[in-house]
Amino acid sequence: MAKFHIKKDDQVIVLAGSDKGRTGKVLKVLVEKERAIVEGVNMVSKSTKPSAANPQGGIVKQEAPIHISNLSLIDPKSGKATRIRIEREGKNVKRIAKKSGEVIK
């Protein structure tokens, strides 16, 4: 299983693609496909049949997965893209922003 620098509920910025520069919260990480679903990013229109939840049916806008390599964590201090450093203290693991040295989450 691959290890990623991005986890659920992280604030990320899109580095490449049509949504470049947009930010959002990670809703889900798809480990097997190396992709993540980010709130408000990579929106697609999907046709849906009528159901109990949506009796009218029609076209629904929803987020599509985006590749992990096109995402970067946002530095909590500066609000810009940053890489991370991992520090281990026994069993505890901390993710630290390389730009500011702030602990992420």
Side-chain angles (χ1 to χ4, degrees):
M1 185 168 86
K3 289 268 191 180
F4 296 126
H5 59 284
I6 291 174
K7 296 181 179 181
K8 184 179 175 182
D9 294 330
D10 281 345
Q11 285 292 333
V12 294
I13 187 167
V14 180
L15 300 175
S18 60
D19 289 317
K20 181 178 179 177
R22 296 188 72 192
T23 61
K25 185 172 88 168
V26 176
L27 301 175
K28 189 174 185 179
V29 177
L30 307 169
V31 178
E32 303 82 30
K33 296 182 179 181
E34 298 182 358
R35 292 178 174 268
I37 297 175
V38 182
E39 189 175 43
V41 174
N42 199 20
M43 299 297 284
V44 295
S45 299
K46 183 177 179 188
S47 299
T48 58
K49 287 186 173 181
S51 64
N54 188 6
Q56 195 69 12
I59 298 172
V60 176
K61 290 260 190 194
Q62 66 182 40
E63 293 94 355
I66 186 168
H67 200 271
I68 289 279
S69 67
N70 294 330
L71 301 174
S72 180
L73 282 168
I74 293 179
D75 191 321
K77 206 171 196 178
S78 68
K80 295 182 179 179
T82 185
R83 294 179 296 159
I84 62 164
R85 179 176 79 236
I86 303 290
E87 281 189 7
R88 292 181 175 86
E89 296 170 356
K91 290 192 175 190
N92 297 333
V93 177
K94 288 195 289 187
R95 297 184 302 158
I96 298 169
K98 283 207 173 186
K99 281 193 176 177
S100 66
E102 293 280 315
V103 176
I104 298 174
K105 210 167 186 190

